Protein backbone atom coordinates (compact mmCIF):
# COMPACT_ATOMS: atom_id res chain seq x y z
CA UNK A 1 0.00 0.00 0.00
CA UNK A 2 2.86 2.41 0.77
CA UNK A 3 4.26 1.97 -2.71
CA UNK A 4 0.79 2.56 -4.15
CA UNK A 5 0.55 5.91 -2.37
CA UNK A 6 3.93 7.10 -3.60
CA UNK A 7 3.07 5.93 -7.10
CA UNK A 8 -0.16 7.97 -7.05
CA UNK A 9 1.70 11.05 -5.80
CA UNK A 10 4.26 10.79 -8.59
CA UNK A 11 1.71 9.95 -11.33
CA UNK A 12 -0.52 12.91 -10.47
CA UNK A 13 -0.56 15.49 -13.24
CA UNK A 14 -2.18 18.83 -13.97
CA UNK A 15 -4.24 17.60 -16.92
CA UNK A 16 -5.20 19.84 -19.82
CA UNK A 17 -5.27 17.97 -23.12
CA UNK A 18 -5.91 14.32 -22.25
CA UNK A 19 -9.55 14.41 -21.11
CA UNK A 20 -11.85 12.01 -22.98
CA UNK A 21 -15.20 13.42 -21.85
CA UNK A 22 -16.37 9.97 -20.75
CA UNK A 23 -18.82 9.56 -17.89
CA UNK A 24 -17.71 9.80 -14.27
CA UNK A 25 -19.85 7.30 -12.32
CA UNK A 26 -21.78 8.91 -9.47
CA UNK A 27 -20.23 6.57 -6.90
CA UNK A 28 -16.74 7.47 -8.11
CA UNK A 29 -17.40 11.18 -7.84
CA UNK A 30 -18.83 10.64 -4.35
CA UNK A 31 -15.65 8.85 -3.26
CA UNK A 32 -13.41 11.59 -4.66
CA UNK A 33 -15.41 14.35 -2.95
CA UNK A 34 -15.54 12.34 0.30
CA UNK A 35 -11.74 12.10 0.19
CA UNK A 36 -11.54 15.87 -0.22
CA UNK A 37 -13.98 16.37 2.65
CA UNK A 38 -11.82 14.10 4.87
CA UNK A 39 -8.90 16.54 4.72
CA UNK A 40 -7.56 18.03 7.96
CA UNK A 41 -8.67 21.57 8.73
CA UNK A 42 -7.73 24.22 11.25
CA UNK A 43 -10.05 24.03 14.26
CA UNK A 44 -11.99 21.30 12.45
CA UNK A 45 -13.78 24.09 10.60
CA UNK A 46 -13.96 22.25 7.25
CA UNK A 47 -14.15 25.66 5.56
CA UNK A 48 -14.64 24.31 2.05
CA UNK A 49 -17.60 23.79 -0.27
CA UNK A 50 -17.62 21.91 -3.58
CA UNK A 51 -19.67 23.19 -6.53
CA UNK A 52 -20.00 20.48 -9.19
CA UNK A 53 -20.37 22.20 -12.57
CA UNK A 54 -21.81 20.11 -15.40
CA UNK A 55 -23.81 22.73 -17.29
CA UNK A 56 -22.30 23.27 -20.74
CA UNK A 57 -23.28 26.94 -20.99
CA UNK A 58 -21.67 27.77 -17.65
CA UNK A 59 -18.49 25.99 -18.67
CA UNK A 60 -18.46 27.74 -22.06
CA UNK A 61 -18.84 31.14 -20.38
CA UNK A 62 -16.01 30.32 -18.00
CA UNK A 63 -13.83 29.09 -20.87
CA UNK A 64 -14.37 32.34 -22.76
CA UNK A 65 -13.23 34.26 -19.67
CA UNK A 66 -10.19 31.99 -19.26
CA UNK A 67 -9.24 32.52 -22.91
CA UNK A 68 -9.37 36.28 -22.40
CA UNK A 69 -7.14 36.06 -19.31
CA UNK A 70 -4.74 33.85 -21.23
CA UNK A 71 -4.43 36.62 -23.81
CA UNK A 72 -3.85 39.17 -21.03
CA UNK A 73 -0.94 37.11 -19.69
CA UNK A 74 0.44 36.37 -23.16
CA UNK A 75 0.64 40.10 -23.84
CA UNK A 76 3.15 40.45 -20.97
CA UNK A 77 5.61 38.02 -22.61
CA UNK A 78 8.08 38.43 -25.40
CA UNK A 79 10.76 36.48 -27.17
CA UNK A 80 11.33 32.86 -26.17
CA UNK A 81 8.87 33.04 -23.29
CA UNK A 82 6.06 34.11 -25.62
CA UNK A 83 6.92 31.32 -28.06
CA UNK A 84 6.96 28.70 -25.31
CA UNK A 85 3.69 29.90 -23.81
CA UNK A 86 1.97 29.87 -27.20
CA UNK A 87 2.46 26.08 -27.31
CA UNK A 88 0.97 25.44 -23.87
CA UNK A 89 -2.68 24.46 -23.43
CA UNK A 90 -3.85 25.99 -20.16
CA UNK A 91 -7.19 24.31 -19.51
CA UNK A 92 -9.53 21.42 -20.23
CA UNK A 93 -12.75 23.20 -19.28
CA UNK A 94 -14.70 22.07 -22.34
CA UNK A 95 -13.01 18.70 -22.85
CA UNK A 96 -13.37 17.39 -19.29
CA UNK A 97 -16.50 15.60 -18.11
CA UNK A 98 -17.27 18.10 -15.37
CA UNK A 99 -15.65 20.65 -13.11
CA UNK A 100 -15.49 21.10 -9.35
CA UNK A 101 -15.12 24.58 -7.90
CA UNK A 102 -13.68 24.57 -4.38
CA UNK A 103 -14.41 27.54 -2.15
CA UNK A 104 -13.29 28.93 1.21
CA UNK A 105 -15.61 30.23 3.95
CA UNK A 106 -13.48 32.19 6.44
CA UNK A 107 -16.45 32.60 8.81
CA UNK A 108 -17.12 28.88 9.25
CA UNK A 109 -16.48 27.73 12.79
CA UNK A 110 -16.00 31.31 13.96
CA UNK A 111 -15.63 33.69 15.56
CA UNK A 112 -12.99 31.85 17.63
CA UNK A 113 -11.27 29.37 15.33
CA UNK A 114 -8.92 27.14 17.30
CA UNK A 115 -5.46 27.41 15.77
CA UNK A 116 -6.09 30.38 13.47
CA UNK A 117 -5.48 33.29 15.83
CA UNK A 118 -1.82 33.69 14.84
CA UNK A 119 -1.97 32.51 11.20
CA UNK A 120 -4.87 34.13 9.39
CA UNK A 121 -4.38 31.98 6.27
CA UNK A 122 -4.62 28.65 8.10
CA UNK A 123 -8.17 28.20 6.84
CA UNK A 124 -7.07 28.77 3.25
CA UNK A 125 -4.29 26.23 3.75
CA UNK A 126 -6.97 23.76 4.89
CA UNK A 127 -8.84 24.23 1.62
CA UNK A 128 -5.63 23.50 -0.29
CA UNK A 129 -5.29 20.23 1.65
CA UNK A 130 -8.82 19.29 0.57
CA UNK A 131 -7.87 20.03 -3.04
CA UNK A 132 -4.79 17.83 -2.78
CA UNK A 133 -6.88 15.00 -1.29
CA UNK A 134 -9.32 15.34 -4.18
CA UNK A 135 -6.49 15.30 -6.71
CA UNK A 136 -4.82 12.19 -5.30
CA UNK A 137 -8.13 10.34 -4.92
CA UNK A 138 -9.03 11.17 -8.52
CA UNK A 139 -5.64 9.88 -9.68
CA UNK A 140 -6.21 6.66 -7.74
CA UNK A 141 -9.58 6.32 -9.50
CA UNK A 142 -7.95 6.68 -12.93
CA UNK A 143 -9.25 10.21 -13.42
CA UNK A 144 -7.42 13.38 -14.37
CA UNK A 145 -7.63 16.77 -12.69
CA UNK A 146 -6.62 20.16 -14.07
CA UNK A 147 -6.44 23.29 -11.90
CA UNK A 148 -7.42 26.35 -13.96
CA UNK A 149 -5.92 29.57 -12.60
CA UNK A 150 -6.50 32.00 -15.47
CA UNK A 151 -9.58 33.71 -14.03
CA UNK A 152 -10.69 36.60 -11.88
CA UNK A 153 -12.37 35.62 -8.61
CA UNK A 154 -15.10 38.22 -9.06
CA UNK A 155 -16.08 36.74 -12.43
CA UNK A 156 -16.31 33.21 -11.05
CA UNK A 157 -18.26 34.37 -8.02
CA UNK A 158 -20.82 36.10 -10.25
CA UNK A 159 -20.99 33.22 -12.73
CA UNK A 160 -21.89 30.61 -10.11
CA UNK A 161 -23.79 32.82 -7.67
CA UNK A 162 -21.20 32.36 -4.92
CA UNK A 163 -21.94 34.64 -1.93
CA UNK A 164 -19.73 37.69 -1.53
CA UNK A 165 -18.19 36.41 1.71
CA UNK A 166 -17.11 33.11 0.12
CA UNK A 167 -13.82 32.96 -1.76
CA UNK A 168 -13.50 30.72 -4.86
CA UNK A 169 -10.11 29.02 -4.55
CA UNK A 170 -9.95 26.56 -7.44
CA UNK A 171 -11.73 25.58 -10.63
CA UNK A 172 -10.80 21.93 -11.15
CA UNK A 173 -11.51 20.13 -14.42
CA UNK A 174 -12.19 16.45 -13.74
CA UNK A 175 -12.82 13.34 -15.79
CA UNK A 176 -11.42 10.20 -17.41
CA UNK A 177 -8.25 10.68 -19.43
CA UNK A 178 -6.59 8.84 -22.28
CA UNK A 179 -3.39 8.78 -20.24
CA UNK A 180 -1.42 10.69 -17.64
CA UNK A 181 1.70 12.21 -19.15
CA UNK A 182 5.06 10.88 -18.00
CA UNK A 183 6.46 14.43 -17.97
CA UNK A 184 4.43 17.44 -16.73
CA UNK A 185 3.33 19.76 -19.56
CA UNK A 186 5.32 22.76 -18.36
CA UNK A 187 8.52 20.71 -18.29
CA UNK A 188 7.76 19.12 -21.65
CA UNK A 189 7.27 22.54 -23.27
CA UNK A 190 10.39 23.95 -21.64
CA UNK A 191 8.60 26.50 -19.46
CA UNK A 192 10.34 25.40 -16.24
CA UNK A 193 12.20 22.40 -14.83
CA UNK A 194 11.44 20.63 -11.57
CA UNK A 195 14.03 21.49 -8.90
CA UNK A 196 15.84 18.63 -7.14
CA UNK A 197 14.96 18.06 -3.48
CA UNK A 198 18.43 18.95 -2.21
CA UNK A 199 18.05 22.41 -3.72
CA UNK A 200 15.10 23.23 -1.44
CA UNK A 201 15.98 21.22 1.69
CA UNK A 202 17.51 22.91 4.76
CA UNK A 203 18.58 21.59 8.18
CA UNK A 204 17.76 23.52 11.38
CA UNK A 205 18.32 26.95 9.79
CA UNK A 206 17.78 28.48 6.36
CA UNK A 207 20.78 27.51 4.29
CA UNK A 208 21.82 24.85 6.80
Amino acid sequence: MTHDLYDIINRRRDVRGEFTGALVPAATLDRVLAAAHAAPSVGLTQPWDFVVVRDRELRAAFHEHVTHERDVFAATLDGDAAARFARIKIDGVLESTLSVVVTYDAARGGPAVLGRHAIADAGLYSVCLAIQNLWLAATAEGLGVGWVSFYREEFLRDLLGIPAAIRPVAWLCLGPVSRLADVPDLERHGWRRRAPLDQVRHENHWGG
Side-chain angles (χ1 to χ4, degrees):
M1 282 296 287
T2 301
H3 292 296
D4 291 343
L5 173 60
Y6 285 114
D7 178 62
I8 290 165
I9 290 171
N10 286 292
R11 283 195 298 112
R12 181 215 58 81
R13 290 289 178 267
D14 193 354
V15 177
R16 300 174 177 91
E18 293 81 17
F19 289 110
T20 67
L23 177 71
V24 176
T28 303
L29 180 60
D30 287 347
R31 286 194 297 271
V32 169
L33 293 177
H37 190 54
S41 61
V42 63
L44 197 57
T45 51
Q46 298 177 297
W48 47 70
D49 285 273
F50 308 102
V51 183
V52 179
V53 183
R54 305 177 194 268
D55 184 86
R56 189 72 181 181
E57 290 187 6
L58 286 174
R59 291 161 64 195
F62 183 67
H63 182 260
E64 182 178 353
H65 173 69
V66 167
T67 300
H68 169 73
E69 291 299 330
R70 186 190 199 283
D71 292 342
V72 170
F73 178 69
T76 69
L77 306 174
D78 53 27
D80 290 343
R84 288 196 301 272
F85 183 65
R87 298 192 297 267
I88 297 173
K89 180 176 174 60
I90 63 162
D91 75 274
V93 173
L94 300 180
E95 297 89 346
S96 59
T97 308
L98 55 88
S99 293
V100 178
V101 174
V102 187
T103 64
Y104 170 46
D105 182 356
R108 189 166 297 166
V113 175
L114 189 157
R116 202 180 68 184
H117 74 285
I119 304 176
D121 287 336
L124 185 59
Y125 303 156
S126 301
V127 173
C128 292
L129 291 172
I131 292 167
Q132 179 75 334
N133 269 20
L134 184 155
W135 212 325
L136 295 179
T139 304
E141 294 280 358
L143 303 175
V145 175
W147 188 330
V148 183
S149 56
F150 281 77
Y151 68 87
R152 305 289 174 172
E153 291 183 13
E154 297 81 4
F155 177 89
L156 183 51
R157 186 180 285 114
D158 290 345
L159 180 68
L160 300 185
I162 298 170
I166 306 299
R167 182 177 182 182
V169 176
W171 179 295
L172 305 174
C173 304
L174 187 147
V177 291
S178 57
R179 65 185 181 89
L180 290 174
D182 293 331
V183 179
D185 282 358
L186 297 188
E187 285 192 78
R188 183 164 55 85
H189 288 293
W191 184 259
R192 286 188 65 84
R193 296 291 180 190
R194 188 180 298 276
L197 175 60
D198 61 7
Q199 186 174 313
V200 296
R201 178 174 176 170
H202 309 262
E203 294 287 343
N204 293 321
H205 297 89
W206 187 272

